[in-house]
Amino acid sequence: MKLTVLKEYLNESIQHVSKAISSKTTIPILTGIKIDVDTTGMTLTASDTDISIQSFIPMEKNEIQVIDLKRPGSVVLPSKFFVEIIRKLPAQHIEIEVKDQFQTTIRSGSSEIQLVGLDPEEYPIMPGIEENKSIQIPSDLLKTMIKQTSFSVSTNEATPILTGILWTIAGGKLKFTACDRHRLASRETNIDTDPDFTLNNVSISGKTLNELSKILPDQNTLIDIVFAENQVLFKMSNILFYTRILDGTYPDTSKLIPQTFQTELVVNTQRAQRCDRPCLFAFSRRED
């Protein structure tokens, strides 16, 4: 394998996929980033078995030649060194060459670094997901829903199902629910989907969704979300984000919030957020 790639595109992709690297893995090859290069472009892959992220760099983008390919191939490079090396290289263009026994040379400007790579054939294959059960949602809305519910997920691994956010779809509405036994957060929104499409008992780790939120574009871009038996795939323009569904059944939280109230408080949240000192609220009981 031999190619030259623009640093800004490579560094951006590395920052995306490195979110799936875990230092606690017992599988040595998963401490690395897999690189596949062919005539279409470069694909970077990282995984910790719970989440997997793929980022694709095209040969050209916006009429700019991003990759100059000399020889296609694959290699797995240790992320601990690869991430820092690419970030600190001085020049705009980076040359990567893989020789026998996956001995890898990285050149940029006057710098030349040697890395010992691993066999890409030993890297786990990404899960195959049939795209017959999917929805679309704007990325900014998805980020907002994650932010408004993820703070209520449990951090106690003794009840793994509560460390996730429950996704339910019914009647053209998507609902997020998170509860740690002391707090409950819920957010519902309309989505453009078949009214008969339903989804139940799909719980995704709150920690994973927070990592996803860092990758999601800020602009109003549609994200494809594909649901499988035990996996969920988030598809962005050049990024695939796989995560597994938590095992177990999420407890019924529908009756935790009563439907009738003795006291009701309405707060202007925007004004409350702007308070630079403790805010005073006046409470009054409403008699029916």
Side-chain angles (χ1 to χ4, degrees):
M1 183 178 89
K2 186 175 181 181
L3 73 150
T4 301
V5 58
L6 292 179
K7 176 183 174 180
E8 62 176 301
Y9 290 92
L10 178 58
N11 189 54
E12 182 182 23
S13 287
I14 289 173
Q15 297 306 316
H16 288 326
V17 301
S18 61
K19 291 177 172 57
I21 298 289
S22 172
S23 58
K24 299 178 181 179
T25 182
T26 57
I27 307 173
I29 200 163
L30 290 184
T31 61
I33 295 175
K34 184 184 179 187
I35 302 173
D36 296 292
V37 184
D38 58 23
T39 54
T40 63
M42 173 188 285
T43 302
L44 280 71
T45 305
S47 176
D48 67 357
T49 68
D50 285 332
I51 65 172
S52 302
I53 305 175
Q54 282 190 332
S55 180
F56 179 72
I57 306 173
M59 300 293 286
E60 294 184 2
K61 189 171 183 179
N62 299 328
E63 299 183 354
I64 298 173
Q65 185 172 2
V66 179
I67 297 173
D68 181 14
L69 179 62
K70 300 292 192 303
R71 188 171 64 249
S74 301
V75 70
V76 177
L77 297 178
S79 62
K80 180 179 179 181
F81 304 108
F82 186 53
V83 172
E84 287 301 311
I85 287 170
I86 298 302
R87 186 171 63 86
K88 294 179 179 179
L89 286 175
Q92 182 183 12
H93 291 84
I94 297 173
E95 181 183 295
I96 302 174
E97 183 177 9
V98 180
K99 299 181 181 178
D100 294 339
Q101 304 302 314
F102 305 104
Q103 185 71 30
T104 303
T105 303
I106 300 174
R107 303 181 184 92
S108 179
S110 59
S111 300
E112 181 173 308
I113 300 100
Q114 302 286 335
L115 284 177
V116 178
L118 300 172
D119 186 353
E121 294 297 324
E122 297 179 7
Y123 203 87
I125 299 174
M126 292 297 99
I129 294 182
E130 294 183 6
E131 302 190 15
N132 55 2
K133 197 171 186 181
S134 63
I135 61 171
Q136 282 189 328
I137 184 171
S139 59
D140 53 352
L141 175 58
L142 180 56
K143 289 182 74 167
T144 299
M145 293 182 70
I146 293 171
K147 180 180 178 181
Q148 291 175 336
T149 53
S150 61
F151 68 90
S152 286
V153 301
S154 174
T155 57
N156 186 355
E157 294 294 338
T159 52
I161 193 69
L162 292 182
T163 64
I165 295 176
L166 177 68
W167 294 48
T168 53
I169 299 175
K173 293 181 181 292
L174 169 65
K175 183 177 182 181
F176 282 11
T177 304
C179 181
D180 63 359
R181 291 198 175 95
H182 301 287
R183 300 173 297 181
L184 186 148
S186 176
R187 170 66 197 269
E188 188 175 80
T189 187
N190 293 315
I191 57 174
D192 185 14
T193 188
D194 187 337
D196 295 329
F197 180 89
T198 59
L199 187 74
N200 296 295
N201 200 41
V202 171
S203 184
I204 303 174
S205 165
K207 181 180 178 181
T208 295
L209 289 174
N210 280 326
E211 291 299 326
L212 170 68
S213 182
K214 298 173 184 177
I215 297 176
L216 290 170
D218 292 325
Q219 61 268 31
N220 187 13
T221 305
L222 284 177
I223 306 299
D224 292 302
I225 307 174
V226 185
F227 300 93
E229 184 176 350
N230 59 359
Q231 293 274 340
V232 180
L233 168 61
F234 298 86
K235 298 176 65 177
M236 290 155 267
S237 57
N238 289 323
I239 300 174
L240 300 179
F241 188 107
Y242 299 82
T243 180
R244 71 178 183 88
I245 296 172
L246 296 178
D247 295 328
T249 302
Y250 204 91
D252 183 9
T253 60
S254 60
K255 297 180 177 59
L256 292 181
I257 299 178
Q259 300 302 308
T260 58
F261 310 96
Q262 288 185 329
T263 304
E264 183 176 353
L265 173 67
V266 179
V267 178
N268 186 318
T269 56
Q270 291 184 344
R271 290 183 61 187
Q273 288 175 351
R274 291 198 298 266
C275 284
D276 55 2
R277 59 185 182 276
C279 296
L280 177 66
F281 295 103
F283 294 84
S284 62
R285 174 167 292 183
R286 185 180 67 188
E287 300 294 342
D288 293 328

